[in-house]
Amino acid sequence: MSSIQVNLETIAALIRDAEAKAGRKEGSVTLLAVSKFHPRESVLDAIAAGQMSFGENRVQEAFEKFSGMTALHPHVALHIIGTLQRNKAAKAVSVASCIESIDRLEILSELEKQCAKINKLMKIFFEYHTGEATKSGFKTYDELCKAVQFCADGNAPHLVPSGFMTMAPFTDDEKKVRASFIMLRETAQKLRAQFPSLPLSELSMGMSGDYRIAIEEGSTQVRIGTAIFGARA
Ligand SMILES: *Cc1c(COP(=O)(O)O)cnc(C)c1O
């Protein structure tokens, strides 16, 4: 086995362990393998070990690495997790099956337009800014709520609002990290109650350094790069 495959096994076991310790059902947390800055060979190595979901920050890099991938591996899913520029929406839509970094209203109409063109359904997560050290995501509840409302009103029939994403602040202060995850969970609960017609069941939170805390606080998907693929150059 390659080191990537060993790491994947280790992480899978640690996730199962964290689920059990948090009193969560086994298998309630899925793993998104974040392959940014790592080559296509590393992705293929992970696929050979059974990993099917991948995350990339930059559309151009994702496109170069993943275009044509589903022809070879039909079950591979690519999630875009970095800020999406309007002029990259078409490319993102062509290669991804989920955009986790919805951070403003205007990107929704552009994504809808591009998805409609190729008649593709796209999962989306709303990214919420929950920690002082990170910059991305909707900054206020009001803006976030307006974006969810936009979808609930039927303005984006090709977009499937599937949940929420956040990045905790980069700090050793566990309290701050936990507070960030709690904030996302509580915000999601509020919005699910307000928009019962939308799926919104996913909570994408937790990275290599903080996924145990995220799982304790209700994460349904952790996004892990370094602990699988090693340090980024
Ligand atoms: C890079 C990145 C990750 C993975 O971070 P690691 O610390 O390497 O596990 C997760 N989420 C987002 C949004 C990222 O940009």
Side-chain angles (χ1 to χ4, degrees):
M1 272 202 288
S2 71
S3 62
I4 289 172
Q5 295 180 351
V6 171
N7 292 344
L8 277 168
E9 274 199 0
T10 305
I11 290 289
L14 290 170
I15 290 173
R16 298 292 87 94
D17 186 57
E19 283 171 343
K21 287 206 171 103
R24 311 257 323 262
K25 212 175 119 206
E26 186 176 335
S28 53
V29 181
T30 61
L31 170 62
L32 188 78
V34 178
S35 49
K36 65 186 182 199
F37 297 116
H38 292 281
R40 185 176 164 103
E41 292 70 55
S42 298
V43 171
L44 293 172
D45 199 355
I47 291 172
Q51 179 65 33
M52 292 297 149
S53 306
F54 295 88
E56 287 280 341
N57 275 53
R58 296 179 189 169
V59 173
Q60 186 56 36
E61 181 184 345
F63 187 79
E64 284 161 16
K65 215 179 290 181
F66 283 87
S67 56
M69 191 69 95
T70 44
L72 292 171
H73 301 285
H75 299 295
V76 166
L78 174 68
H79 293 203
I80 297 295
I81 58 174
T83 305
L84 180 61
Q85 290 163 313
R86 201 185 171 83
N87 62 0
K88 300 271 169 57
K91 210 166 222 181
V93 159
S94 76
V95 75
S97 61
C98 178
I99 312 284
E100 295 200 15
S101 40
I102 300 296
D103 59 356
R104 58 202 194 280
L105 187 59
E106 76 204 40
I107 200 70
L108 287 174
S109 35
E110 184 62 25
L111 279 175
E112 170 58 29
K113 190 171 108 190
Q114 298 302 337
C115 286
K117 264 190 203 166
I118 60 169
N119 195 26
K120 181 171 180 174
L121 280 183
M122 181 69 57
K123 282 192 192 177
I124 56 164
F125 293 3
F126 299 96
E127 181 178 2
Y128 196 29
H129 179 263
T130 59
E132 58 224 83
T134 58
K135 290 198 192 84
S136 49
F138 284 97
K139 296 294 180 296
T140 68
Y141 180 77
D142 200 46
E143 287 173 78
L144 170 64
C145 194
K146 278 192 182 120
V148 182
Q149 179 87 59
F150 179 84
C151 294
D153 288 345
N155 293 305
H158 292 83
L159 307 184
V160 184
S162 304
F164 302 89
M165 187 269 261
T166 201
M167 280 173 92
F170 299 108
T171 168
D172 290 336
D173 187 343
E174 191 181 310
K175 274 201 200 109
K176 284 189 181 157
V177 172
R178 190 178 295 281
S180 164
F181 295 148
I182 291 173
M183 184 172 170
L184 191 71
R185 184 187 67 221
E186 291 180 343
T187 303
Q189 279 164 350
K190 221 158 121 181
L191 288 164
R192 285 176 196 138
Q194 195 171 340
F195 301 102
S197 66
L198 300 177
L200 296 178
S201 58
E202 301 283 337
L203 284 183
S204 172
M205 54 190 204
M207 306 177 18
S208 292
D210 57 19
Y211 69 91
R212 289 187 149 267
I213 305 170
I215 290 173
E216 284 169 15
E217 298 305 338
S219 171
T220 65
Q221 181 201 256
V222 292
R223 307 179 307 270
I224 297 187
T226 311
I228 297 170
F229 296 105
R232 289 180 286 272

